[in-house]
Amino acid sequence: MAKLFEHVKIQTNNLCTRKCPYCYFGNCPDPEKIELSEYQFKKIVDNLSDLKFRGRIGYFETNEPLTDSRIFDFISYSKRKNPEAWHMIASNGDLLDIAKLKLLFDSGLDEIKISTYDHAAFSKAEGFRSATSYNIEILDQRQPVILDNRGGNIEYGEYSSPAEPLKSGCDRIHKVLCIRPSGNIVSCCCDFNEQNIFGSINDSRLEEIWSSDPFEKFRTVIDGGDRTASPLCSKCNYAGQGGFFKSSKRS
């Protein structure tokens, strides 16, 4: 049976305030709004509580979490149910102000990463950090630091799809449970269009999906260096280790 996931990413909606060329929103038509229901969210959180989950819970993925006005209540509920987990979000800061920052941390947030894509956003984030004692990490993206091509979904400069599929495993499918606004659980954070669906929170428990035969077989193939297991993995140029969570506070 697979070792339990270390991180959970819960994307509560599919909206963002920006259209960066190295992101989903800068490369795809505006999506029809989809959001995780309160019932679905609480079902996820209660399931994690049953598991006594102590890893990271991130309330974001390819979206801006502050476009969801429910995010404060969601974090508060999750913190009460999972007090030993590490609760975090990543935001571009567009919708963030001191009042919202206070509300986030009063709700139980442990960490916020603010990605700054221009000088104004960087100065704004620095102002938050100097004016408060909150756990704020500023990710300076004024010169974009692009980790990979997001499963071939992003064709940006040198970050295009490899000529041939890479022959390496991938740590994401062993560490991160990714939950889309639809409630579907997909292979990784790059699966914007839900090509690799392994189950739904509407039908199964998180640990059952994570350890299911299809997911286990998928990992075995990828671990063997065969990225042709799916079109998504075939086009991906992620080397297989490192990435966003590597520097986060909770291991």
mmCIF file of all heavy atoms in Angstrom, residues 9-53:
data_model
loop_
_atom_site.group_PDB
_atom_site.id
_atom_site.type_symbol
_atom_site.label_atom_id
_atom_site.label_comp_id
_atom_site.label_asym_id
_atom_site.label_seq_id
_atom_site.Cartn_x
_atom_site.Cartn_y
_atom_site.Cartn_z
ATOM 1 N N LYS A 9 -3.597 19.409 -1.582
ATOM 2 C CA LYS A 9 -3.947 20.674 -2.215
ATOM 3 C C LYS A 9 -5.441 20.652 -2.537
ATOM 4 O O LYS A 9 -5.896 19.814 -3.322
ATOM 5 C CB LYS A 9 -3.127 20.896 -3.483
ATOM 6 C CG LYS A 9 -1.690 21.316 -3.210
ATOM 7 C CD LYS A 9 -1.039 21.806 -4.489
ATOM 8 C CE LYS A 9 0.304 22.455 -4.216
ATOM 9 N NZ LYS A 9 0.892 23.039 -5.442
ATOM 10 N N ILE A 10 -6.172 21.569 -1.925
ATOM 11 C CA ILE A 10 -7.612 21.662 -2.141
ATOM 12 C C ILE A 10 -7.880 22.936 -2.928
ATOM 13 O O ILE A 10 -7.772 24.043 -2.401
ATOM 14 C CB ILE A 10 -8.372 21.706 -0.796
ATOM 15 C CG1 ILE A 10 -7.961 20.546 0.112
ATOM 16 C CG2 ILE A 10 -9.869 21.680 -1.047
ATOM 17 C CD1 ILE A 10 -8.505 20.650 1.522
ATOM 18 N N GLN A 11 -8.201 22.796 -4.187
ATOM 19 C CA GLN A 11 -8.511 23.956 -5.020
ATOM 20 C C GLN A 11 -10.013 24.209 -4.926
ATOM 21 O O GLN A 11 -10.812 23.451 -5.477
ATOM 22 C CB GLN A 11 -8.088 23.722 -6.466
ATOM 23 C CG GLN A 11 -8.285 24.950 -7.339
ATOM 24 C CD GLN A 11 -7.772 24.759 -8.755
ATOM 25 O OE1 GLN A 11 -6.943 23.885 -9.009
ATOM 26 N NE2 GLN A 11 -8.257 25.575 -9.678
ATOM 27 N N THR A 12 -10.401 25.272 -4.236
ATOM 28 C CA THR A 12 -11.824 25.481 -3.958
ATOM 29 C C THR A 12 -12.580 26.112 -5.108
ATOM 30 O O THR A 12 -13.803 26.023 -5.168
ATOM 31 C CB THR A 12 -12.021 26.336 -2.693
ATOM 32 O OG1 THR A 12 -11.539 27.664 -2.926
ATOM 33 C CG2 THR A 12 -11.289 25.717 -1.504
ATOM 34 N N ASN A 13 -11.873 26.773 -6.028
ATOM 35 C CA ASN A 13 -12.512 27.257 -7.256
ATOM 36 C C ASN A 13 -11.468 27.333 -8.360
ATOM 37 O O ASN A 13 -10.300 27.008 -8.143
ATOM 38 C CB ASN A 13 -13.236 28.602 -7.043
ATOM 39 C CG ASN A 13 -12.285 29.778 -6.854
ATOM 40 O OD1 ASN A 13 -11.100 29.724 -7.201
ATOM 41 N ND2 ASN A 13 -12.789 30.865 -6.283
ATOM 42 N N ASN A 14 -11.884 27.760 -9.525
ATOM 43 C CA ASN A 14 -10.957 27.793 -10.667
ATOM 44 C C ASN A 14 -10.801 29.204 -11.223
ATOM 45 O O ASN A 14 -10.736 29.409 -12.436
ATOM 46 C CB ASN A 14 -11.437 26.838 -11.770
ATOM 47 C CG ASN A 14 -12.803 27.229 -12.332
ATOM 48 O OD1 ASN A 14 -13.581 27.920 -11.666
ATOM 49 N ND2 ASN A 14 -13.113 26.797 -13.551
ATOM 50 N N LEU A 15 -10.707 30.190 -10.337
ATOM 51 C CA LEU A 15 -10.633 31.592 -10.745
ATOM 52 C C LEU A 15 -9.288 32.210 -10.367
ATOM 53 O O LEU A 15 -8.664 31.813 -9.392
ATOM 54 C CB LEU A 15 -11.753 32.399 -10.081
ATOM 55 C CG LEU A 15 -13.185 31.912 -10.311
ATOM 56 C CD1 LEU A 15 -14.155 32.796 -9.534
ATOM 57 C CD2 LEU A 15 -13.527 31.904 -11.797
ATOM 58 N N CYS A 16 -8.877 33.197 -11.146
ATOM 59 C CA CYS A 16 -7.668 33.948 -10.834
ATOM 60 C C CYS A 16 -7.853 35.393 -11.278
ATOM 61 O O CYS A 16 -8.729 35.696 -12.099
ATOM 62 C CB CYS A 16 -6.443 33.328 -11.515
ATOM 63 S SG CYS A 16 -4.874 34.012 -10.899
ATOM 64 N N THR A 17 -7.003 36.270 -10.753
ATOM 65 C CA THR A 17 -7.074 37.689 -11.101
ATOM 66 C C THR A 17 -6.094 38.059 -12.210
ATOM 67 O O THR A 17 -6.097 39.188 -12.675
ATOM 68 C CB THR A 17 -6.765 38.544 -9.864
ATOM 69 O OG1 THR A 17 -5.476 38.178 -9.359
ATOM 70 C CG2 THR A 17 -7.816 38.327 -8.786
ATOM 71 N N ARG A 18 -5.254 37.109 -12.612
ATOM 72 C CA ARG A 18 -4.214 37.414 -13.593
ATOM 73 C C ARG A 18 -4.222 36.416 -14.750
ATOM 74 O O ARG A 18 -4.813 35.348 -14.658
ATOM 75 C CB ARG A 18 -2.838 37.420 -12.928
ATOM 76 C CG ARG A 18 -2.696 38.516 -11.887
ATOM 77 C CD ARG A 18 -1.264 38.792 -11.535
ATOM 78 N NE ARG A 18 -1.172 39.948 -10.649
ATOM 79 C CZ ARG A 18 -0.202 40.853 -10.686
ATOM 80 N NH1 ARG A 18 0.769 40.736 -11.584
ATOM 81 N NH2 ARG A 18 -0.190 41.868 -9.842
ATOM 82 N N LYS A 19 -3.501 36.800 -15.807
ATOM 83 C CA LYS A 19 -3.350 35.935 -16.978
ATOM 84 C C LYS A 19 -1.870 35.884 -17.362
ATOM 85 O O LYS A 19 -1.463 36.370 -18.411
ATOM 86 C CB LYS A 19 -4.188 36.461 -18.149
ATOM 87 C CG LYS A 19 -5.685 36.281 -17.969
ATOM 88 C CD LYS A 19 -6.434 36.741 -19.221
ATOM 89 C CE LYS A 19 -7.916 36.419 -19.121
ATOM 90 N NZ LYS A 19 -8.164 34.970 -19.133
ATOM 91 N N CYS A 20 -1.082 35.318 -16.489
ATOM 92 C CA CYS A 20 0.359 35.233 -16.729
ATOM 93 C C CYS A 20 0.647 34.239 -17.865
ATOM 94 O O CYS A 20 0.018 33.179 -17.931
ATOM 95 C CB CYS A 20 1.072 34.788 -15.463
ATOM 96 S SG CYS A 20 0.827 35.903 -14.063
ATOM 97 N N PRO A 21 1.585 34.557 -18.751
ATOM 98 C CA PRO A 21 1.842 33.692 -19.912
ATOM 99 C C PRO A 21 2.444 32.340 -19.543
ATOM 100 O O PRO A 21 2.443 31.422 -20.355
ATOM 101 C CB PRO A 21 2.821 34.514 -20.759
ATOM 102 C CG PRO A 21 3.471 35.441 -19.782
ATOM 103 C CD PRO A 21 2.416 35.775 -18.776
ATOM 104 N N TYR A 22 2.960 32.203 -18.332
ATOM 105 C CA TYR A 22 3.576 30.945 -17.892
ATOM 106 C C TYR A 22 2.656 30.198 -16.937
ATOM 107 O O TYR A 22 3.110 29.391 -16.132
ATOM 108 C CB TYR A 22 4.926 31.221 -17.224
ATOM 109 C CG TYR A 22 4.933 32.467 -16.395
ATOM 110 C CD1 TYR A 22 4.444 32.476 -15.097
ATOM 111 C CD2 TYR A 22 5.379 33.663 -16.946
ATOM 112 C CE1 TYR A 22 4.416 33.627 -14.356
ATOM 113 C CE2 TYR A 22 5.351 34.830 -16.212
ATOM 114 C CZ TYR A 22 4.871 34.809 -14.918
ATOM 115 O OH TYR A 22 4.838 35.971 -14.186
ATOM 116 N N CYS A 23 1.352 30.461 -17.039
ATOM 117 C CA CYS A 23 0.372 29.805 -16.176
ATOM 118 C C CYS A 23 -0.837 29.389 -17.010
ATOM 119 O O CYS A 23 -1.032 29.846 -18.144
ATOM 120 C CB CYS A 23 -0.059 30.755 -15.053
ATOM 121 S SG CYS A 23 -1.296 30.085 -13.917
ATOM 122 N N TYR A 24 -1.659 28.546 -16.430
ATOM 123 C CA TYR A 24 -2.879 28.062 -17.079
ATOM 124 C C TYR A 24 -3.728 29.211 -17.589
ATOM 125 O O TYR A 24 -4.203 29.192 -18.732
ATOM 126 C CB TYR A 24 -3.666 27.224 -16.076
ATOM 127 C CG TYR A 24 -5.075 26.864 -16.531
ATOM 128 C CD1 TYR A 24 -5.293 25.750 -17.337
ATOM 129 C CD2 TYR A 24 -6.168 27.636 -16.162
ATOM 130 C CE1 TYR A 24 -6.574 25.420 -17.753
ATOM 131 C CE2 TYR A 24 -7.453 27.313 -16.577
ATOM 132 C CZ TYR A 24 -7.646 26.199 -17.368
ATOM 133 O OH TYR A 24 -8.909 25.882 -17.791
ATOM 134 N N PHE A 25 -3.919 30.224 -16.763
ATOM 135 C CA PHE A 25 -4.863 31.284 -17.104
ATOM 136 C C PHE A 25 -4.378 32.166 -18.242
ATOM 137 O O PHE A 25 -5.169 32.857 -18.875
ATOM 138 C CB PHE A 25 -5.162 32.130 -15.861
ATOM 139 C CG PHE A 25 -5.931 31.376 -14.810
ATOM 140 C CD1 PHE A 25 -5.267 30.799 -13.742
ATOM 141 C CD2 PHE A 25 -7.295 31.210 -14.912
ATOM 142 C CE1 PHE A 25 -5.968 30.082 -12.777
ATOM 143 C CE2 PHE A 25 -8.002 30.483 -13.956
ATOM 144 C CZ PHE A 25 -7.337 29.923 -12.889
ATOM 145 N N GLY A 26 -3.092 32.155 -18.513
ATOM 146 C CA GLY A 26 -2.573 32.918 -19.638
ATOM 147 C C GLY A 26 -2.507 32.121 -20.925
ATOM 148 O O GLY A 26 -2.123 32.666 -21.968
ATOM 149 N N ASN A 27 -2.885 30.850 -20.862
ATOM 150 C CA ASN A 27 -2.766 29.979 -22.021
ATOM 151 C C ASN A 27 -4.078 29.337 -22.442
ATOM 152 O O ASN A 27 -4.124 28.667 -23.473
ATOM 153 C CB ASN A 27 -1.760 28.861 -21.728
ATOM 154 C CG ASN A 27 -0.329 29.350 -21.734
ATOM 155 O OD1 ASN A 27 0.352 29.285 -22.748
ATOM 156 N ND2 ASN A 27 0.134 29.868 -20.602
ATOM 157 N N CYS A 28 -5.132 29.519 -21.663
ATOM 158 C CA CYS A 28 -6.402 28.851 -21.935
ATOM 159 C C CYS A 28 -7.539 29.870 -21.923
ATOM 160 O O CYS A 28 -7.428 30.937 -21.312
ATOM 161 C CB CYS A 28 -6.674 27.777 -20.881
ATOM 162 S SG CYS A 28 -5.378 26.520 -20.798
ATOM 163 N N PRO A 29 -8.636 29.556 -22.592
ATOM 164 C CA PRO A 29 -9.807 30.442 -22.530
ATOM 165 C C PRO A 29 -10.313 30.545 -21.090
ATOM 166 O O PRO A 29 -10.057 29.680 -20.258
ATOM 167 C CB PRO A 29 -10.844 29.716 -23.413
ATOM 168 C CG PRO A 29 -10.059 28.754 -24.236
ATOM 169 C CD PRO A 29 -8.868 28.373 -23.423
ATOM 170 N N ASP A 30 -11.032 31.635 -20.821
ATOM 171 C CA ASP A 30 -11.602 31.792 -19.487
ATOM 172 C C ASP A 30 -12.497 30.604 -19.174
ATOM 173 O O ASP A 30 -13.415 30.280 -19.929
ATOM 174 C CB ASP A 30 -12.433 33.083 -19.400
ATOM 175 C CG ASP A 30 -11.561 34.326 -19.435
ATOM 176 O OD1 ASP A 30 -10.376 34.222 -19.095
ATOM 177 O OD2 ASP A 30 -12.077 35.395 -19.801
ATOM 178 N N PRO A 31 -12.247 29.935 -18.044
ATOM 179 C CA PRO A 31 -13.031 28.750 -17.727
ATOM 180 C C PRO A 31 -14.412 29.110 -17.181
ATOM 181 O O PRO A 31 -14.614 30.194 -16.636
ATOM 182 C CB PRO A 31 -12.192 28.068 -16.637
ATOM 183 C CG PRO A 31 -11.502 29.212 -15.938
ATOM 184 C CD PRO A 31 -11.219 30.214 -17.026
ATOM 185 N N GLU A 32 -15.348 28.200 -17.350
ATOM 186 C CA GLU A 32 -16.630 28.347 -16.689
ATOM 187 C C GLU A 32 -16.400 28.104 -15.199
ATOM 188 O O GLU A 32 -15.709 27.173 -14.812
ATOM 189 C CB GLU A 32 -17.624 27.317 -17.224
ATOM 190 C CG GLU A 32 -19.003 27.400 -16.607
ATOM 191 C CD GLU A 32 -19.958 26.372 -17.178
ATOM 192 O OE1 GLU A 32 -19.613 25.755 -18.216
ATOM 193 O OE2 GLU A 32 -21.040 26.174 -16.590
ATOM 194 N N LYS A 33 -16.985 28.969 -14.376
ATOM 195 C CA LYS A 33 -16.714 28.893 -12.941
ATOM 196 C C LYS A 33 -17.155 27.553 -12.358
ATOM 197 O O LYS A 33 -18.267 27.095 -12.565
ATOM 198 C CB LYS A 33 -17.426 30.025 -12.195
ATOM 199 C CG LYS A 33 -17.143 30.016 -10.698
ATOM 200 C CD LYS A 33 -17.864 31.147 -9.978
ATOM 201 C CE LYS A 33 -17.606 31.105 -8.478
ATOM 202 N NZ LYS A 33 -18.318 32.198 -7.766
ATOM 203 N N ILE A 34 -16.240 26.938 -11.626
ATOM 204 C CA ILE A 34 -16.526 25.716 -10.877
ATOM 205 C C ILE A 34 -16.027 25.937 -9.459
ATOM 206 O O ILE A 34 -14.927 26.473 -9.265
ATOM 207 C CB ILE A 34 -15.815 24.485 -11.480
ATOM 208 C CG1 ILE A 34 -16.198 24.292 -12.947
ATOM 209 C CG2 ILE A 34 -16.132 23.228 -10.677
ATOM 210 C CD1 ILE A 34 -15.396 23.204 -13.647
ATOM 211 N N GLU A 35 -16.805 25.573 -8.463
ATOM 212 C CA GLU A 35 -16.327 25.674 -7.103
ATOM 213 C C GLU A 35 -16.734 24.460 -6.278
ATOM 214 O O GLU A 35 -17.789 23.870 -6.489
ATOM 215 C CB GLU A 35 -16.788 26.968 -6.429
ATOM 216 C CG GLU A 35 -18.254 27.100 -6.199
ATOM 217 C CD GLU A 35 -18.594 28.401 -5.465
ATOM 218 O OE1 GLU A 35 -17.798 29.365 -5.520
ATOM 219 O OE2 GLU A 35 -19.669 28.455 -4.838
ATOM 220 N N LEU A 36 -15.853 24.112 -5.390
ATOM 221 C CA LEU A 36 -16.104 23.027 -4.458
ATOM 222 C C LEU A 36 -17.219 23.474 -3.508
ATOM 223 O O LEU A 36 -17.196 24.597 -3.004
ATOM 224 C CB LEU A 36 -14.822 22.756 -3.678
ATOM 225 C CG LEU A 36 -14.583 21.405 -3.014
ATOM 226 C CD1 LEU A 36 -14.451 20.311 -4.064
ATOM 227 C CD2 LEU A 36 -13.316 21.477 -2.164
ATOM 228 N N SER A 37 -18.178 22.620 -3.264
ATOM 229 C CA SER A 37 -19.258 22.993 -2.353
ATOM 230 C C SER A 37 -18.776 22.932 -0.906
ATOM 231 O O SER A 37 -17.769 22.280 -0.591
ATOM 232 C CB SER A 37 -20.458 22.062 -2.522
ATOM 233 O OG SER A 37 -20.164 20.772 -2.008
ATOM 234 N N GLU A 38 -19.494 23.596 -0.023
ATOM 235 C CA GLU A 38 -19.161 23.532 1.400
ATOM 236 C C GLU A 38 -19.248 22.094 1.906
ATOM 237 O O GLU A 38 -18.405 21.647 2.692
ATOM 238 C CB GLU A 38 -20.099 24.419 2.207
ATOM 239 C CG GLU A 38 -19.807 24.428 3.697
ATOM 240 C CD GLU A 38 -20.752 25.324 4.479
ATOM 241 O OE1 GLU A 38 -21.575 26.025 3.859
ATOM 242 O OE2 GLU A 38 -20.666 25.314 5.728
ATOM 243 N N TYR A 39 -20.246 21.359 1.425
ATOM 244 C CA TYR A 39 -20.386 19.955 1.812
ATOM 245 C C TYR A 39 -19.157 19.151 1.396
ATOM 246 O O TYR A 39 -18.610 18.361 2.183
ATOM 247 C CB TYR A 39 -21.645 19.353 1.193
ATOM 248 C CG TYR A 39 -21.740 17.858 1.359
ATOM 249 C CD1 TYR A 39 -22.177 17.301 2.564
ATOM 250 C CD2 TYR A 39 -21.364 16.998 0.324
ATOM 251 C CE1 TYR A 39 -22.244 15.922 2.732
ATOM 252 C CE2 TYR A 39 -21.428 15.618 0.479
ATOM 253 C CZ TYR A 39 -21.874 15.091 1.686
ATOM 254 O OH TYR A 39 -21.925 13.727 1.846
ATOM 255 N N GLN A 40 -18.698 19.340 0.155
ATOM 256 C CA GLN A 40 -17.530 18.620 -0.328
ATOM 257 C C GLN A 40 -16.286 18.984 0.479
ATOM 258 O O GLN A 40 -15.492 18.118 0.846
ATOM 259 C CB GLN A 40 -17.292 18.920 -1.802
ATOM 260 C CG GLN A 40 -18.317 18.329 -2.751
ATOM 261 C CD GLN A 40 -18.103 18.816 -4.173
ATOM 262 O OE1 GLN A 40 -17.990 20.026 -4.417
ATOM 263 N NE2 GLN A 40 -18.039 17.876 -5.103
ATOM 264 N N PHE A 41 -16.134 20.285 0.745
ATOM 265 C CA PHE A 41 -14.963 20.726 1.506
ATOM 266 C C PHE A 41 -14.937 20.083 2.887
ATOM 267 O O PHE A 41 -13.910 19.556 3.328
ATOM 268 C CB PHE A 41 -14.955 22.253 1.628
ATOM 269 C CG PHE A 41 -13.764 22.768 2.378
ATOM 270 C CD1 PHE A 41 -12.557 22.977 1.725
ATOM 271 C CD2 PHE A 41 -13.823 23.025 3.742
ATOM 272 C CE1 PHE A 41 -11.433 23.424 2.420
ATOM 273 C CE2 PHE A 41 -12.725 23.475 4.449
ATOM 274 C CZ PHE A 41 -11.533 23.674 3.781
ATOM 275 N N LYS A 42 -16.055 20.123 3.567
ATOM 276 C CA LYS A 42 -16.094 19.564 4.921
ATOM 277 C C LYS A 42 -15.901 18.050 4.904
ATOM 278 O O LYS A 42 -15.315 17.481 5.833
ATOM 279 C CB LYS A 42 -17.400 19.947 5.602
ATOM 280 C CG LYS A 42 -17.453 21.417 5.989
ATOM 281 C CD LYS A 42 -18.705 21.758 6.785
ATOM 282 C CE LYS A 42 -18.654 23.199 7.275
ATOM 283 N NZ LYS A 42 -19.863 23.563 8.052
ATOM 284 N N LYS A 43 -16.353 17.412 3.844
ATOM 285 C CA LYS A 43 -16.142 15.974 3.721
ATOM 286 C C LYS A 43 -14.649 15.658 3.620
ATOM 287 O O LYS A 43 -14.149 14.717 4.260
ATOM 288 C CB LYS A 43 -16.882 15.435 2.498
ATOM 289 C CG LYS A 43 -16.822 13.922 2.363
ATOM 290 C CD LYS A 43 -17.655 13.432 1.185
ATOM 291 C CE LYS A 43 -17.627 11.910 1.094
ATOM 292 N NZ LYS A 43 -18.409 11.400 -0.059
ATOM 293 N N ILE A 44 -13.919 16.456 2.853
ATOM 294 C CA ILE A 44 -12.471 16.296 2.730
ATOM 295 C C ILE A 44 -11.793 16.502 4.081
ATOM 296 O O ILE A 44 -10.972 15.688 4.533
ATOM 297 C CB ILE A 44 -11.896 17.302 1.707
ATOM 298 C CG1 ILE A 44 -12.420 17.009 0.303
ATOM 299 C CG2 ILE A 44 -10.364 17.276 1.726
ATOM 300 C CD1 ILE A 44 -12.187 18.156 -0.671
ATOM 301 N N VAL A 45 -12.142 17.601 4.727
ATOM 302 C CA VAL A 45 -11.515 17.967 5.997
ATOM 303 C C VAL A 45 -11.815 16.933 7.088
ATOM 304 O O VAL A 45 -10.941 16.558 7.876
ATOM 305 C CB VAL A 45 -11.978 19.373 6.422
ATOM 306 C CG1 VAL A 45 -11.588 19.677 7.857
ATOM 307 C CG2 VAL A 45 -11.393 20.418 5.479
ATOM 308 N N ASP A 46 -13.045 16.471 7.127
ATOM 309 C CA ASP A 46 -13.412 15.453 8.118
ATOM 310 C C ASP A 46 -12.658 14.150 7.866
ATOM 311 O O ASP A 46 -12.254 13.459 8.813
ATOM 312 C CB ASP A 46 -14.921 15.200 8.084
ATOM 313 C CG ASP A 46 -15.731 16.376 8.587
ATOM 314 O OD1 ASP A 46 -15.139 17.310 9.175
ATOM 315 O OD2 ASP A 46 -16.966 16.387 8.377
ATOM 316 N N ASN A 47 -12.464 13.822 6.605
ATOM 317 C CA ASN A 47 -11.699 12.626 6.238
ATOM 318 C C ASN A 47 -10.250 12.767 6.721
ATOM 319 O O ASN A 47 -9.676 11.839 7.307
ATOM 320 C CB ASN A 47 -11.746 12.445 4.731
ATOM 321 C CG ASN A 47 -11.240 11.104 4.219
ATOM 322 O OD1 ASN A 47 -11.586 10.702 3.111
ATOM 323 N ND2 ASN A 47 -10.419 10.410 4.987
ATOM 324 N N LEU A 48 -9.653 13.943 6.523
ATOM 325 C CA LEU A 48 -8.290 14.182 6.992
ATOM 326 C C LEU A 48 -8.216 14.096 8.516
ATOM 327 O O LEU A 48 -7.241 13.580 9.081
ATOM 328 C CB LEU A 48 -7.806 15.560 6.518
ATOM 329 C CG LEU A 48 -7.589 15.708 5.009
ATOM 330 C CD1 LEU A 48 -7.304 17.161 4.658
ATOM 331 C CD2 LEU A 48 -6.460 14.810 4.526
ATOM 332 N N SER A 49 -9.254 14.584 9.173
ATOM 333 C CA SER A 49 -9.311 14.506 10.627
ATOM 334 C C SER A 49 -9.341 13.048 11.092
ATOM 335 O O SER A 49 -8.666 12.676 12.058
ATOM 336 C CB SER A 49 -10.536 15.254 11.147
ATOM 337 O OG SER A 49 -10.619 15.198 12.549
ATOM 338 N N ASP A 50 -10.126 12.221 10.400
ATOM 339 C CA ASP A 50 -10.166 10.788 10.722
ATOM 340 C C ASP A 50 -8.785 10.152 10.602
ATOM 341 O O ASP A 50 -8.446 9.226 11.351
ATOM 342 C CB ASP A 50 -11.140 10.059 9.795
ATOM 343 C CG ASP A 50 -12.593 10.437 10.021
ATOM 344 O OD1 ASP A 50 -12.897 10.992 11.098
ATOM 345 O OD2 ASP A 50 -13.415 10.192 9.118
ATOM 346 N N LEU A 51 -8.001 10.657 9.655
ATOM 347 C CA LEU A 51 -6.662 10.128 9.419
ATOM 348 C C LEU A 51 -5.619 10.725 10.365
ATOM 349 O O LEU A 51 -4.441 10.355 10.303
ATOM 350 C CB LEU A 51 -6.234 10.412 7.972
ATOM 351 C CG LEU A 51 -7.012 9.691 6.869
ATOM 352 C CD1 LEU A 51 -6.634 10.258 5.500
ATOM 353 C CD2 LEU A 51 -6.772 8.199 6.915
ATOM 354 N N LYS A 52 -6.071 11.686 11.205
ATOM 355 C CA LYS A 52 -5.151 12.407 12.091
ATOM 356 C C LYS A 52 -3.981 12.996 11.292
ATOM 357 O O LYS A 52 -2.798 12.868 11.648
ATOM 358 C CB LYS A 52 -4.643 11.495 13.210
ATOM 359 C CG LYS A 52 -5.750 11.020 14.149
ATOM 360 C CD LYS A 52 -5.218 10.110 15.253
ATOM 361 C CE LYS A 52 -6.286 9.814 16.302
ATOM 362 N NZ LYS A 52 -7.532 9.248 15.746
ATOM 363 N N PHE A 53 -4.346 13.662 10.208
ATOM 364 C CA PHE A 53 -3.366 14.173 9.256
ATOM 365 C C PHE A 53 -2.514 15.276 9.883
ATOM 366 O O PHE A 53 -3.032 16.196 10.511
ATOM 367 C CB PHE A 53 -4.090 14.702 8.020
ATOM 368 C CG PHE A 53 -3.174 15.125 6.905
ATOM 369 C CD1 PHE A 53 -2.420 14.183 6.230
ATOM 370 C CD2 PHE A 53 -3.070 16.460 6.536
ATOM 371 C CE1 PHE A 53 -1.569 14.559 5.197
ATOM 372 C CE2 PHE A 53 -2.243 16.846 5.508
ATOM 373 C CZ PHE A 53 -1.488 15.896 4.840
#
